[in-house]
């Protein structure tokens, strides 16, 4: 019970008190060592006296020692300014105080208060918070200044200067609308610490309203948490901090936590799989429901979902066939009628880029070989199966030799495949590295021509692994391996999981290159051979990916191209490395839209405009850094569709809810106290309670000083009585 | 004005200045015990202006018939002339009081606190020397016994003036490491003393009271008069020590680390109870008891001696 708790302003002095408590004991022990020695004749009387008074003397000494310890440590505790909340004691801070209200407008505060099914009350935690904040403003003594800060990311100060007019402050609070971001406590604390000097002269009282749900945890990184704790402690040294817990017990909430295209290689007429995931954050099983899939806000179809247990997910897929090459705006929404506390996270938008074609560059290490002898021929056939010359293909492959690479502008290609190339100039490797960093996809297929030491020396640092020696001395004899069906990772999983008898796993791998280094030093393994050696490795670099295939893409080292699954594997790899063209367009609330200028039409950038979901218009900034020009907006604070207009074109931007606030489970008080170290007062003002919010804090120091004076008198009297007084 | 001569002072000077030699602080500055004793006694007597005990002589007691073997020098010829019979004149005993000074030389007597001008032993020796001087001056026989857990030196009483030097010489010895064992000492004294004797015991009497009682009772049984002079240091009587102190017990009584303030009350109770019991014992056995604080003048000892002597002689 916080009412019974006593906290201190300066916790450090509590440690000092503990240290000082040892002082009398140390003095006592030192005195026992510092004595004078005298011969004594009347020893028999002294021994008799000591025998009779020994126990009493020890008790007296112990009593005095305890008293002195209590007095000395009590002084340190009193200096630490202990206090407890009560309305009976006089106000200790005196004068006017600067009241800082931290109002939680994060997404979880939009949760409706628990109601019975037949009730239609739509009051939210946020509404309740506003009610209590207005009450608090009423309780603020006249003349005391007020500052209002909202917590939803990014934290904001609602008034530039101090609000001395309480009616004005109340009006500002009343006009406040719930946000959609997560809690930004760190940002809010930073704002308080940066308040102008004239606003920090007064004693301050911080009132933090929050529902304290799991999303409140804020930073999960230990270093961030440590920084935040430091900020809190700094504030606590000079301010009174009261937490108002306006939350209610956990409520049921379903949320659409994932909605995306399965891959980025999307073309007109190509079937596209969309993956959705619904999570039940509540504590009860949720009945079957429907999910609406909308294209440009038009209902496209409905998917029926089964019942979802508490804490469980349900993943569903839906396939569409885009008709034109354009930006597609798709959303999935849990159908209305599902009663949960938070409706804002029931819908999730996604932007897709349907591309006319996807250019891929194949670098052939064996130029001149027939089409289906070299590796490039097999890959080209797999990616661009053009049965007729006029047939449109999505993946437009171009073959080049290594010497041509220097002159090519790689950013024109969505992916580059290096096929059994012996060596590449260092500047080409550098160019490839930069290409991947900027979002390009690179695939490396090895073969008998590959100069292993050259690869390792020039690109070993950033390729998924350093290459090792060939696995078998005499390939084609009895030694061979296969792909291990138990070792699949994305992107192989979707097509091959559970298909152990498919051609991929029956293919015979007669030769491959081993890789060096420990598993932690290598990239992610996408697939392994049956002997455990890595077959496919991947590494993400900047905005792009590199995939290393440790065997060949033709029939020389394996018979995989003879299997039908070769095409699926090649397409999956391509889909895996090709960067999502819409990766800059799918954002989370409070993110900034930030896109390199090369992605946009350069001519129209200067006059670009951003339209928010509610129709407000703003102008993004064109900035430049070492990587060139890029376009940047202010943080996007509403979920839904934004539209970026430039040069007659328009790009949609999907802003999704941060799912951290969908889990309405509340964090424990002990967890709160790890974030806000003592002294902290946590007051539960859940809906329905009507207690006074601003309690005059009672300083225990005055009481303690009286008690210490009394103890001092008692000690003196006892010392005199016991004969210990000099 | 002629300078004062402490050895041969005029009567007036004696009356005025010798009193200060009764003060232990003054006496402590005089190393020579002979001189110290003389100064004490002379100072004491001159302070009284007149000694009522001066000039004792042989006193007639009775006549008896002459029998063969009697010394004819003692025949009273005047009575013979009147009665024509031989009578012998008998007198009171010619010798004055026989006094034995018993001085404790145990280790505890060496104690001297910062409060005291001299140790208990020095004080005891001063008393003994002064008493012996006074006694010899009164024609009394004086003997000396020093003791700790037994009699260490015994000088038979005599009124020979040369006895003074012998006593002084013996008194100038120091204390030993032994503890006091009065029962044994007093029993031994009783055995050695053939005549009725005034025994002056000067000690701190830090011994078992029952042992002391037995020893004194034995002395009294032999019709000896006893004066108990208990010599204690002011620190032992007042216990004024402060601060943590390690008391190292004399006479092998161990050590004690204590805060004196916490023990003071109990200690004084114990000490007072002991002296009260000793005083009660003396009263029971009809003995004189005098408690000396080594800070006090010595004339009390002389007065007590003379008072007891007078009572004994009557």
């Amino acid at each position: 019970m916080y009412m019974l708790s006593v906290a201190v302003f300066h916790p450090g002095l509590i440690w000092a008190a503990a240290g000082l408590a040892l002082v009398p004991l140390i003095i006592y022990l030192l005195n026992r060592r510092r004595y004078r020695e005298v011969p004594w004749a009347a020893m028999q009387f002294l021994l008799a006296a000591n025998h009779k008074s020994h126990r009493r003397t020890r008790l007296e000494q112990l009593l005095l020692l305890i008293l002195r310890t209590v007095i000395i440590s009590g002084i340190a505790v009193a200096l630490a300014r202990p206090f407890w909340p009560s309305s009976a004691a006089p106000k200790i801070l005196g004068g006017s105080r600067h009241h800082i209200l931290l109002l939680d407008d994060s997404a979880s505060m939009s949760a409706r208060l628990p109601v019975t099914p037949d009730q239609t009350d739509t009051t939210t935690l946020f509404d309740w918070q506003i009610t209590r904040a207005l009450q608090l403003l009423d309780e603020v003594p006249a003349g005391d200044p007020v500052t209002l800060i909202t917590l939803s990311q990014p934290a904001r100060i609602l008034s530039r200067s101090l609000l001395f007019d309480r009616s004005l402050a109340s009006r500002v609070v009343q006009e406040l609308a719930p946000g959609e971001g997560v809690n930004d406590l760190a940002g809010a604390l930073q704002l308080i610490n940066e308040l102008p000097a004239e606003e920090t002269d007064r004693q301050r009282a911080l009132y933090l309203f929050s529902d304290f749900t799991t999303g409140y945890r804020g930073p999960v990184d230990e270093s961030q948490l440590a920084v935040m704790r430091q900020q809190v402690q700094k504030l606590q040294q000079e301010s009174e901090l009261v937490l108002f817990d306006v939350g209610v017990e956990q409520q049921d909430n379903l949320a659409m936590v994932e909605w995306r295209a399965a891959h980025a290689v999307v073309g007109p007429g190509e079937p596209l799989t969309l993956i959705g995931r619904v999570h039940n954050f509540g504590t009860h099983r949720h009945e079957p429901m429907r999910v609406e899939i909308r294209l440009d806000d038009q209902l496209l179809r409905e998917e029926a979902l089964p019942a979802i247990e508490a804490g469980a997910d349900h993943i569903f897929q839906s396939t569409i066939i885009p008709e034109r090459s354009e930006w597609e705006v798709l959303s999935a929404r849990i159908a209305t009628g599902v009663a949960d506390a938070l409706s804002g996270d029931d819908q999730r938008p996604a932007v897709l880029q349907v591309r006319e074609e996807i250019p891929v560059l194949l670098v052939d290490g064996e130029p001149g070989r027939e089409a289906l002898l070299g590796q490039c021929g097999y890959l080209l056939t797999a990616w661009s199966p053009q049965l007729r010359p006029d047939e449109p293909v999505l993946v437009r492959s171009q073959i080049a030799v290594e010497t041509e690479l220097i002159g090519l502008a790689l950013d024109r290609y969505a992916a580059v495949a290096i096929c059994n190339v012996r060596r590449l100039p260092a500047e080409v490797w550098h160019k490839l590295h930069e290409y991947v960093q900027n979002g390009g996809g690179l695939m490396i297929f090895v073969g008998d021509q590959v100069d292993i030491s050259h690869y390792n020396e020039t690109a070993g640092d950033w390729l998924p692994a350093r290459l090792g020696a060939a696995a078998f001395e005499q390939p084609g004899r009895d030694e061979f391996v296969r792909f291990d069906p138990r070792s699949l990772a994305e992107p192989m999983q979707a097509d091959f999981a559970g298909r152990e008898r498919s051609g991929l796993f029956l293919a015979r791998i007669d030769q491959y290159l081993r890789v060096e280094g420990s598993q932690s030093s290598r990239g992610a393994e996408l697939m392994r051979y049956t002997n455990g050696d890595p077959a496919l490795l991947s590494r993400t670099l900047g905005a792009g990916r590199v995939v290393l295939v440790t065997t060949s893409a033709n029939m020389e080292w394996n018979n995989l191209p003879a299997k039908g699954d070769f095409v699926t594997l090649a397409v999956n790899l391509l889909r895996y490395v090709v960067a999502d063209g819409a990766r800059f367009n799918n954002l989370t609330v409070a993110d900034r839209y930030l896109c390199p200028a090369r992605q946009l039409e350069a001519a129209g950038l200067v006059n670009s405009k951003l339209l928010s979901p509610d129709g407000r218009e703003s102008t993004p900034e064109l900035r430049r850094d070492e990587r060139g020009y890029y376009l940047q907006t202010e943080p996007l604070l509403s979920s839904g569709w934004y539209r970026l207009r430039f040069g007659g074109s328009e790009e949609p931007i999907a802003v999704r809810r941060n799912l951290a606030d969908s889990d309405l489970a509340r964090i424990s008080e002990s967890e709160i106290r790890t974030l806000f170290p003592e002294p902290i007062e946590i007051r539960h003002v859940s809906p329905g309670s009507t207690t006074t919010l601003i309690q005059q804090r009672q300083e225990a120091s005055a009481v303690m000083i009286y008690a210490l004076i009394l103890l001092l008198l008692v000690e003196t009297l006892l010392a005199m009585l016991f004969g210990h007084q000099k | 004005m002629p300078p004062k001569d402490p050895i041969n002072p005029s009567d007036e000077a004696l009356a005025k200045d010798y009193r200060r030699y009764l003060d232990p602080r003054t006496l402590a500055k005089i190393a020579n015990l002979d001189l110290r004793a003389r100064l004490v006694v002379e100072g004491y007597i001159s302070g009284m202006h007149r000694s009522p005990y001066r000039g004792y002589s042989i006193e007639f007691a009775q006549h008896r018939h002459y029998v063969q073997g009697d010394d004819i020098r003692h025949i009273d010829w005047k009575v013979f002339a009147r009665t024509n019979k031989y009578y012998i004149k008998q007198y009171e005993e010619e010798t004055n009081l026989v006094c034995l000074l018993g001085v404790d030389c145990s280790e505890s007597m060496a104690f001297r606190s910062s409060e005291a001008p001299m140790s208990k032993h020095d004080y005891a020796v001063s008393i003994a020397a002064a008493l012996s001087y006074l006694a010899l001056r009164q024609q009394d026989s004086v003997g000396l016994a020093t003791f700790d857990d037994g009699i260490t030196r015994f000088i038979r009483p005599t009124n020979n003036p040369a006895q003074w030097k012998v006593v002084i010489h013996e008194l100038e010895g120091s204390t030993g490491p032994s503890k006091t064992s009065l029962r044994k000492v007093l029993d031994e004294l009783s055995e050695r003393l053939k005549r009725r004797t005034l025994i002056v015991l000067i000690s701190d009497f830090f011994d078992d009271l029952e042992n002391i009682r037995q020893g004194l009772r034995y002395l009294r049984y032999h019709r000896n008069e006893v004066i108990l002079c208990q010599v204690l240091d002011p620190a032992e009587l007042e216990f004024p020590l402060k601060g943590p102190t390690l008391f190292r017990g004399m006479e092998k009584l161990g050590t004690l680390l204590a805060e004196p303030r916490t023990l003071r009350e109990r200690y004084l109770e114990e000490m007072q109870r002991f002296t009260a019991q000793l005083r009660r014992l003396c009263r029971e056995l009809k003995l004189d008891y005098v408690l000396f604080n080594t800070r006090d003048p010595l004339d009390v000892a002389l007065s007590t001696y003379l008072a007891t002597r007078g009572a004994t002689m009557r």
Side-chain angles (χ1 to χ4, degrees):
Chain A
M1 288 281 290
Y2 75 91
M3 287 297 286
L4 297 176
S5 66
V6 176
V8 295
F9 266 120
H10 308 297
L13 284 175
I14 295 299
W15 293 107
L20 284 173
L22 295 174
V23 170
L25 186 64
I26 292 167
I27 290 173
Y28 171 77
L29 292 173
L30 283 177
N31 274 343
R32 282 188 66 86
R33 296 180 58 156
R34 291 173 51 200
Y35 54 80
R36 61 178 175 153
E37 197 173 320
V38 295
W40 194 255
M43 198 66 182
Q44 64 207 74
F45 309 112
L46 203 55
L47 291 172
N50 184 57
H51 179 72
K52 287 179 178 172
S53 62
H54 182 66
R55 182 172 292 175
R56 190 183 143 193
T57 305
R58 291 297 291 265
L59 280 174
E60 289 170 1
Q61 285 179 334
L62 188 64
L63 181 61
L64 287 176
L65 185 65
I66 291 170
L67 266 175
R68 287 164 184 169
T69 302
V70 168
I71 290 169
I72 288 186
S73 53
I75 290 169
V77 171
L79 289 175
R81 296 179 63 198
F83 65 87
W84 62 80
S86 166
S87 56
K91 184 175 173 180
I92 47 99
L93 290 174
S96 76
R97 279 199 283 177
H98 179 194
H99 302 264
I100 301 173
L101 275 69
L102 298 165
L103 300 169
D104 188 353
D105 59 340
S106 63
S108 64
M109 290 296 286
S110 298
R112 284 194 298 275
L113 296 180
V115 291
T116 52
D118 56 331
Q119 286 179 306
T120 55
D121 190 354
T122 55
T123 306
T124 63
L125 284 179
F126 182 81
D127 299 331
W128 173 247
Q129 172 191 230
I130 293 298
T131 307
R132 300 314 303 263
L134 292 171
Q135 179 193 339
L136 190 144
L137 285 174
D138 278 345
E139 292 174 14
V140 168
D144 279 11
V146 171
T147 293
L148 301 168
I149 294 175
T150 55
L151 284 176
S152 180
Q153 192 181 24
R156 291 180 300 145
I157 294 184
L158 296 184
S159 52
R160 284 284 165 210
S161 55
L162 297 180
L163 295 171
F164 285 91
D165 182 350
R166 274 185 298 159
S167 61
L168 176 61
S170 298
R171 216 160 41 241
V172 172
V173 169
Q174 278 171 328
E175 287 169 3
L176 199 61
E180 297 186 76
V182 289
N183 238 312
D184 182 18
L185 183 62
L189 296 175
Q190 186 66 31
L191 286 175
I192 296 168
N193 283 327
E194 290 170 359
L195 281 174
E198 64 269 19
E199 295 179 19
T200 58
D201 285 345
R202 301 164 202 272
Q203 283 283 357
R204 293 194 299 201
L206 266 65
Y207 310 105
L208 169 61
F209 289 82
S210 183
D211 55 352
F212 295 106
T213 56
T214 50
Y216 195 84
R217 289 190 177 117
V220 288
D221 179 65
E222 278 301 317
S223 61
Q224 286 177 299
L225 190 64
V227 170
M228 206 157 101
R229 281 173 59 88
Q230 279 178 0
Q231 285 180 323
V232 171
Q233 278 174 336
K234 186 178 170 215
L235 281 175
Q236 281 175 321
Q237 284 173 2
E238 54 205 31
S239 317
E240 179 188 7
L241 179 53
V242 183
L243 305 188
F244 290 114
D245 180 4
V246 296
V248 292
E249 286 314 305
Q250 184 183 3
Q251 302 181 73
D252 284 344
N253 186 37
L254 282 176
M256 184 69 69
V257 296
E258 190 174 358
W259 178 241
R260 63 178 175 85
H263 53 82
V265 181
V266 186
E270 294 276 332
L272 170 65
T273 302
L274 292 155
I275 298 172
R277 185 158 64 96
V278 178
H279 185 85
N280 183 357
F281 286 102
T283 53
H284 303 100
R285 180 175 185 264
H286 219 292
E287 293 307 311
M289 71 205 79
R290 289 175 298 110
V291 171
E292 295 175 354
I293 295 167
R294 292 174 176 269
L295 177 66
D296 290 336
D297 221 20
Q298 299 294 314
L299 182 63
L300 197 64
R301 67 174 62 164
E302 285 189 343
E303 300 282 350
L305 266 55
I308 304 175
E309 297 298 329
D313 280 333
H314 179 77
I315 298 173
F316 65 94
Q317 293 187 350
S318 188
T319 304
I320 62 166
I321 301 177
E323 294 174 359
R324 297 182 301 278
S325 60
E326 59 183 0
W327 293 95
E328 298 285 15
V329 178
L330 282 158
S331 64
R333 187 169 69 88
I334 301 170
T336 52
V338 171
D340 64 1
L342 207 57
S343 59
D345 57 6
D346 291 350
Q347 179 172 339
R348 197 163 180 83
V351 170
L352 309 175
Q353 187 184 25
V354 182
R355 295 189 254 205
E356 189 69 41
E357 62 175 25
I358 296 172
V360 174
L361 180 67
L362 292 159
V363 183
D364 196 350
E366 307 162 276
R369 296 193 73 171
E370 291 178 36
L372 288 179
L373 286 179
Q375 297 191 20
C376 287
Y378 282 97
L379 290 171
L380 190 145
T381 308
W383 287 335
S384 311
Q386 197 172 21
L387 300 179
R388 295 191 309 273
D390 58 339
E391 188 179 17
V393 288
L394 177 61
V395 179
R396 185 158 300 282
S397 304
Q398 178 187 341
I399 296 179
V401 294
E402 60 261 36
T403 51
E404 293 176 283
L405 272 178
I406 294 176
L408 286 173
L410 294 183
D411 57 2
R412 286 167 44 206
Y413 301 98
V416 174
I418 308 288
C419 305
N420 197 19
V421 173
R422 180 178 177 76
R423 303 169 74 96
L424 285 170
E427 59 265 38
V428 172
W429 282 117
H430 178 74
K431 197 172 169 182
L432 285 170
H433 183 255
E434 197 174 48
Y435 164 70
V436 176
Q437 289 273 10
N438 289 329
L442 178 64
M443 290 168 282
I444 295 175
F445 296 88
V446 298
D448 54 357
Q449 296 200 117
V450 166
D451 182 344
I452 294 168
S453 58
H454 166 77
Y455 272 57
N456 288 340
E457 284 168 14
T458 51
D461 292 343
W462 56 273
L463 288 181
R466 295 174 73 84
L467 298 175
F472 307 121
E473 290 183 0
Q474 294 181 311
R477 296 274 178 110
D478 294 335
E479 288 182 311
F480 65 89
V481 290
R482 300 185 194 278
F483 292 120
D484 184 357
R486 296 165 302 173
S487 65
L488 301 180
E490 202 56 45
M492 301 300 132
Q493 208 163 17
D495 286 316
F496 297 109
R499 294 174 55 202
E500 285 83 356
R501 301 298 301 167
S502 73
L504 179 70
F505 303 117
L506 296 175
R508 172 183 161 130
I509 314 299
D510 295 315
Q511 186 59 292
Y512 66 94
L513 294 184
R514 289 203 167 95
V515 295
E516 293 177 347
S518 63
Q519 198 161 3
S520 59
S521 67
R522 301 195 298 250
E525 291 179 6
L526 305 182
M527 194 158 64
R528 286 197 296 269
Y529 299 118
T530 45
N531 65 355
D533 282 344
L536 304 178
L537 293 118
S538 160
R539 174 165 280 167
T540 302
L541 288 176
R545 276 181 179 149
V546 190
V547 167
L548 172 66
V549 182
T550 59
T551 187
S552 68
N554 61 2
M555 298 285 282
E556 288 193 358
W557 280 11
N558 54 64
N559 64 353
L560 181 61
K563 312 288 183 186
D565 286 343
F566 174 77
V567 176
T568 311
L569 175 68
V571 169
N572 279 355
L573 282 179
L574 181 66
R575 286 173 174 172
Y576 183 66
V577 298
V578 170
D580 184 2
R583 63 184 181 280
F584 302 110
N585 298 60
N586 287 307
L587 305 175
T588 303
V589 171
D591 284 351
R592 294 170 189 268
Y593 175 79
L594 196 150
C595 181
R598 65 183 176 81
Q599 298 285 328
L600 306 169
E601 293 294 335
L605 289 179
V606 177
N607 297 317
S608 58
K609 293 285 177 199
L610 182 74
L611 266 73
S612 67
D614 55 7
R616 279 181 294 183
E617 194 176 270
S618 59
T619 304
E621 289 180 77
L622 187 62
R623 295 187 169 205
R624 183 178 184 181
D625 64 8
E626 67 277 7
R627 284 182 292 176
Y629 285 99
Y630 62 94
L631 200 64
Q632 178 182 295
T633 66
E634 289 298 306
L636 308 180
L637 302 180
S638 302
S639 64
W641 304 106
Y642 283 77
R643 297 193 178 273
L644 182 67
R645 290 180 178 161
F646 57 96
S649 302
E650 185 176 283
E651 265 190 26
I653 299 168
V655 178
R656 284 88 65 92
R657 285 280 183 102
N658 189 321
L659 297 171
D661 262 10
S662 291
D663 187 355
L664 300 179
R666 284 154 57 72
I667 57 175
S668 65
E669 191 166 316
S670 61
E671 200 172 345
I672 296 173
R673 289 185 188 280
T674 60
L675 189 59
F676 298 94
E678 294 293 342
I680 185 69
E681 184 185 342
I682 302 173
R683 305 192 55 203
H684 302 273
V685 288
S686 51
S689 62
T690 55
T691 53
T692 307
L693 297 180
I694 300 181
Q695 289 188 325
Q696 305 298 349
R697 189 176 51 199
Q698 290 179 27
E699 183 112 8
S701 302
V703 179
M704 279 198 72
I705 286 166
Y706 290 131
L708 287 173
I709 290 171
L710 187 66
L711 280 177
L712 210 56
L713 286 172
V714 170
E715 192 272 342
T716 309
L717 285 173
L718 286 178
M720 288 172 70
L721 190 67
F722 297 159
H724 293 250
Q725 188 71 26
K726 286 185 182 176
Chain B
M1 192 173 173
K4 290 176 185 173
D5 179 359
I7 307 300
N8 298 298
S10 66
D11 285 348
E12 190 186 356
L14 277 174
K16 192 182 286 183
D17 295 326
Y18 273 55
R19 290 288 298 173
R20 70 190 172 96
Y21 290 109
L22 297 171
D23 187 342
R25 281 170 295 188
T26 310
L27 287 175
K29 296 172 187 167
I30 302 170
N32 187 306
L33 186 60
D34 182 344
L35 177 57
R36 192 189 289 180
R38 283 170 190 270
L39 288 171
V40 169
V41 175
E42 296 299 341
Y44 172 71
I45 290 173
S46 63
M48 293 170 67
H49 300 293
R50 184 184 67 84
S51 171
Y53 307 105
R54 192 181 299 173
Y56 278 100
S57 58
I58 298 167
E59 290 182 11
F60 171 73
Q62 62 178 357
H63 285 96
R64 67 169 172 81
H65 286 285
Y66 172 78
V67 293
Q68 193 172 357
D70 284 339
D71 191 339
I72 57 169
R73 287 182 298 175
H74 297 137
I75 294 174
D76 190 340
W77 297 110
K78 288 181 182 174
V79 175
F80 176 73
R82 282 199 305 269
T83 63
N84 205 25
K85 289 181 181 175
Y86 295 104
Y87 281 95
I88 296 293
K89 280 176 87 173
Q90 285 191 318
Y91 299 90
E92 289 288 349
E93 191 167 4
E94 292 179 4
T95 308
N96 282 338
L97 191 72
V98 177
C99 174
L100 182 83
L101 301 163
V103 178
D104 187 352
C105 294
S106 66
E107 189 187 358
S108 65
M109 290 296 285
F111 179 69
R112 179 197 164 190
S113 71
S114 58
E115 316 284 322
M118 61 176 76
S119 72
K120 292 194 286 185
H121 181 257
D122 285 346
Y123 195 88
V125 162
S126 299
I127 292 173
L131 285 179
S132 63
Y133 181 72
L134 179 67
L136 286 171
R137 197 181 145 117
Q138 299 287 127
Q139 311 299 321
D140 293 337
S141 294
V142 171
L144 175 71
T146 58
F147 61 87
D148 42 37
D149 59 347
I151 293 177
T152 52
R153 191 68 78 170
F154 183 83
I155 300 168
R156 190 169 295 280
T158 173
N159 61 355
N160 187 334
Q163 179 77 338
W164 161 246
K165 291 290 179 190
V166 177
V167 169
I168 291 296
H169 175 73
E170 289 302 329
L171 284 175
E172 279 176 341
S174 62
T175 55
S178 302
K179 61 182 292 184
T180 313
S181 181
L182 276 166
R183 171 74 191 271
K184 187 179 164 191
V185 169
L186 297 180
D187 284 358
E188 208 175 323
L189 273 182
S190 295
E191 297 297 327
R192 290 195 187 198
L193 295 173
K194 302 299 181 191
R195 295 173 61 191
R196 188 181 173 209
T197 307
L198 171 61
I199 301 165
V200 180
L201 287 173
I202 310 168
S203 168
D204 54 12
F205 294 100
F206 287 168
D207 194 6
D208 181 56
L209 262 179
E210 194 49 40
N211 287 343
I212 297 173
R213 178 194 300 276
Q214 296 296 334
L216 290 175
R217 188 171 283 168
Y218 197 46
L219 277 179
R220 288 295 287 160
Y221 177 76
H222 287 93
R223 302 186 62 218
N224 293 304
E225 292 293 328
V226 183
I227 301 173
L228 264 62
C229 296
Q230 189 179 18
V231 179
L232 294 175
D233 191 275
E236 290 175 329
L237 287 165
E238 296 156 10
F239 204 59
L241 302 176
K242 288 173 184 173
T245 306
L246 179 69
F247 294 95
R248 194 166 291 286
M250 293 173 137
E251 300 186 357
K252 301 181 180 62
L253 279 176
T255 59
L256 173 68
L257 177 60
E259 170 55 66
R261 287 193 300 268
T262 64
L263 290 176
R264 185 170 184 271
E265 194 179 339
R266 288 271 181 190
Y267 169 85
L268 292 179
E269 276 176 20
E270 291 290 325
M271 178 59 87
Q272 283 161 8
R273 191 173 63 183
F274 176 75
T275 53
Q277 285 175 340
L278 190 62
R279 188 174 280 121
R280 194 180 312 125
L281 171 65
C282 292
R283 205 160 46 238
E284 283 172 14
L285 299 177
K286 297 188 171 50
L287 310 179
D288 281 326
Y289 167 83
V290 189
L291 172 62
F292 289 97
N293 182 332
T294 56
R295 214 165 38 194
D296 293 343
L298 281 81
D299 55 346
V300 182
L302 304 183
S303 298
T304 309
Y305 169 77
L306 292 178
T308 309
R309 182 185 184 279
T312 305
M313 296 300 289
R314 279 194 292 275

